[in-house]
Amino acid sequence: MAKSDAVMKEARARFLRCQEWEADSRVLFVEDRKFANADSDNGWQWDDIDYNGRKDSHRPCLTINKTRQHNLQIINDARQNKPAINIRPVSNGATYQAAQVYQAIVRHIEYISNAQSVYDRATVFQVEAGIGFWRVCTDYADDESLDQEIFIRPVKDPLSVYMDPDILEADGSDARYCFIFDDMPHDEVAAKFPQFKDAIPTQDAVGEGSAWLNKDHCRVAEYFRKTEYNDELISYMDTESGDRKVVRKSAMPDAVVEGLKADPDTRTRDATGTTIEWYMIIGGKVVEKKAWPGLYIPIVRIIGEETVIDGKLDRKGHTRAMKDCQRQYNFWTSGAAEFVALQTKSPFVGSVRSIEGLEKYWETANTESHAILPYNDVGEDGQEIRAPARSDPPVMAPAYVSGMQIARQELMEVSGQYQAEMGAPSNERSGKAIQERQRQGDNATYHFIDHLSIGIRFTGKIVLDLIPHIYDTPRIMQLLNEDGSTGEVNLDPQAKQAYSDEKDERGQAVQRIFNPNIGKYDVQADTGPDYGTKRQEAFNAIMDLMKSSPEVMQIAGDLLFQSADFPLADELAERFRRMVPAQALGGQNPELQQAQQQIQQMQGVIQQGAKLLEDEKNKVGVEAYKAETARLALGKDVDPMSLMPVIHAAILSAMQSSPIMQAQQQQMQDQQQLQQAQMGQQGPPQGLPGMQPSPSA
């Protein structure tokens, strides 16, 4: 049997098992999603029989969709507090700086993928119906590039995904296989996949694979599967770094492995390796196969709640628990409207004699505005006739009102979201009391945000695993910082370190070099407001502080406008920064700093003068010694003591005529200026170099 036939047989069996496992939960998925998006036109919150019966008999059939608002509380909270992927260094040469570059690459991938929208779409499915998906894929950066990029893409329909029923992890990271499929008309398949025109089965090929190919549609499926193989871990001492490293036998040539095993310090153990294979299946036939470079099947799921009871799977979102309460509310509201509609429109009650001959006024009394409604106040017998009077107005039945109140209260109880969370005024007045009330609702629904964080963390692990495989050629990348600014990094897979800086002659970093192949890293998903929300919170907090303490503006005005997001805020921040005292910025007083600079310049001049003076002294001494020796040689018969005055006078004359005296005088002047500058400060600077006394002549 050909390998493709074996793969197709395996895929059919696994696909059938997934269908049987998820059959009931998928029916409820559709019902829950329709219920969550019901309105007065589609009537999805009513049973079909009741809805059609009421419509046919012209009875009220109202849909007051409170479920939608309860769901939106969770969905929009997730949009405002999006979990962020954070990278942490672990071992094997990983550094904090390299982890920051990794994190910037992840932000870059999320930005080019519009990942926030992808996460939001999956969250809607998760909250409304119980499960949502997205995927990680690779593609060329653009039509003019040979470099590949990593992208995070949405899965438009969660029902198009079947995942391994035996997974244990909430995010599906331990899945052994997964399908993404679509049943398409034959003409659409041919138009979408012209490259497989010769490989696509014809409509006549209907038999064993009839579920994959019939006269109406052709099933197109992507099939991921994880395969395992035997491997070995090798722990050895690296002679260059002196550190112990661990590698897989499958990742090294056999000759290198044998050399490492010959070292007595090398340790080994058996291990299992995994590979991910991707297949394109059209109409029950494998038409393409590729090896996926990562260690995980790149499909991420986020669930609401998932249970297995008596061997049956059930998934649910936030909608399921509110369905009966919502149905009650719709029933009581419709019944109340019907009860009032059947009552009279408060007509007049009076005797026939009172309106006899005036019927034209009274027949239109409820439809037209008459200036006066005349009536006959006296009968033919002369007796007084009472004026017509209105009957009591329609009233709502207490049972309906009570029913609506109970249904509304039950909606809040089953959702855990009460009036305060829904925006209604409450008795809480202090900020702490309001926050505690909001926390009650957050606690009741936090599992949705937690599962979203788990899914985003798994996305970070997939991306982290793919980066060394996809960014495997030297390139310069424009990365996105947390505040929205950009910066360059030179990605070099051959660099010696995980991260390094190239510096110019002034010692300033001019280029960041990053090697994604060095180091081991881990991923966290921190939940909280995004950068824009945090920035607005900082602006509000600083503004409140300045209202109570206006003097803070003088030392923190630049911080206020740095956190603002209106036009020219950056320019205002720069101007205020120039006005902030140096002490507030952690520096010295500008006048003191200028004096110290002058002192340092004077010290340099003094040191140069001292060196010049020393050189001149040595030179003069040598010349004087030579002159004295020559004179002694000429006058060896002369009494030496008689020549001493002459020698002394010659040396003194030479020193006075040389630059040495000028240098010594200049040195004394510089020292006097230095002492005057020091006296102008709070005290003399301690430990300044070059302050030794100058040598004397």
Side-chain angles (χ1 to χ4, degrees), residues 224 401 508 677:
F224 290 90
V401 176
Q508 297 181 352

Side-chain angles (χ1 to χ4, degrees), residues 276-544:
I276 306 297
E277 297 173 343
W278 173 87
Y279 298 89
M280 172 67 78
I281 302 174
I282 300 180
K285 185 175 181 180
V286 177
V287 298
E288 188 177 11
K289 171 188 174 182
K290 291 180 182 178
W292 177 254
L295 296 175
Y296 305 98
I297 293 176
I299 310 297
V300 182
R301 71 173 199 157
I302 55 170
I303 59 173
E305 300 176 56
E306 186 175 74
T307 58
V308 179
I309 302 175
D310 289 337
K312 297 194 68 173
L313 171 69
D314 186 24
R315 295 194 190 105
K316 63 186 73 174
H318 194 54
T319 304
R320 183 79 60 84
M322 294 185 289
K323 290 170 76 172
D324 281 345
C325 305
Q326 178 67 63
R327 290 189 181 107
Q328 283 192 72
Y329 194 87
N330 290 339
F331 172 79
W332 290 118
T333 303
S334 300
E338 183 179 12
F339 180 82
V340 173
L342 292 176
Q343 297 183 45
T344 59
K345 297 181 179 179
S346 299
F348 289 89
V349 177
S351 66
V352 175
R353 290 183 302 165
S354 65
I355 63 171
E356 187 177 0
L358 303 171
E359 289 85 353
K360 64 179 181 179
Y361 294 101
W362 292 93
E363 287 175 354
T364 58
N366 284 331
T367 58
E368 296 182 13
S369 297
H370 298 291
I372 186 172
L373 288 174
Y375 76 99
N376 301 316
D377 59 340
V378 178
E380 294 179 354
D381 56 2
Q383 296 293 326
E384 183 179 356
I385 302 176
R386 295 178 59 183
R390 284 189 179 275
S391 61
D392 293 334
V395 294
M396 183 75 70
Y400 291 114
V401 176
S402 177
M404 286 189 290
Q405 292 174 346
I406 293 173
R408 182 170 61 246
Q409 180 65 26
E410 288 176 342
L411 275 168
M412 292 187 288
E413 290 174 354
V414 299
S415 66
Q417 299 165 315
Y418 292 88
Q419 294 283 358
E421 287 87 41
M422 304 301 292
S426 61
N427 295 328
E428 294 82 7
R429 291 295 177 263
S430 69
K432 182 177 181 181
I434 294 173
Q435 290 178 359
E436 289 299 321
R437 169 67 71 168
Q438 292 174 343
R439 282 189 59 192
Q440 293 180 11
D442 292 342
N443 290 339
T445 59
Y446 186 73
H447 54 287
F448 292 102
I449 305 299
D450 184 48
H451 288 156
L452 176 61
S453 299
I454 292 172
I456 291 180
R457 181 177 182 271
F458 180 43
T459 304
K461 293 175 68 175
I462 295 174
V463 171
L464 191 65
D465 176 51
L466 286 176
I467 285 174
H469 300 287
I470 304 304
Y471 301 112
D472 57 348
T473 57
R475 67 178 81 176
I476 296 178
M477 296 185 64
Q478 287 282 348
L479 299 183
L480 190 67
N481 298 319
E482 186 180 16
D483 61 357
S485 61
T486 59
E488 282 189 354
V489 64
N490 185 2
L491 195 148
D492 183 4
Q494 304 300 322
K496 300 296 184 182
Q497 298 177 332
Y499 178 87
S500 61
D501 285 326
E502 280 191 358
K503 302 183 183 296
D504 57 15
E505 62 277 2
R506 295 175 295 177
Q508 297 181 352
V510 294
Q511 191 176 43
R512 298 184 295 170
I513 301 174
F514 169 65
N515 185 352
N517 295 314
I518 297 178
K520 183 178 180 181
Y521 301 84
D522 196 9
V523 180
Q524 284 182 292
D526 296 337
T527 305
D530 59 16
Y531 181 83
T533 304
K534 292 178 183 177
R535 184 171 178 172
Q536 184 63 41
E537 289 178 355
F539 180 83
N540 294 336
I542 298 174
M543 180 63 74
D544 291 341

Side-chain angles (χ1 to χ4, degrees), residues 210-222:
S210 58
W212 293 74
L213 181 70
N214 57 44
K215 64 178 182 179
D216 297 322
H217 76 271
C218 179
R219 178 167 294 164
V220 178
E222 295 179 69

Side-chain angles (χ1 to χ4, degrees), residues 92 234-238 240-241 243-247 267:
N92 295 347
I234 302 175
S235 174
Y236 69 97
M237 295 298 298
D238 186 11
E240 293 184 2
S241 63
D243 299 329
R244 179 167 288 276
K245 295 186 176 181
V246 179
V247 296
R267 300 195 300 268

Side-chain angles (χ1 to χ4, degrees), residues 84 121 159 173 179 197 206 279 302 325 371 375 657:
R121 179 194 291 264
L159 297 182
S173 57
F179 297 89
K197 181 178 180 181
V206 178
Y279 298 89
I302 55 170
C325 305
Y375 76 99
S657 62

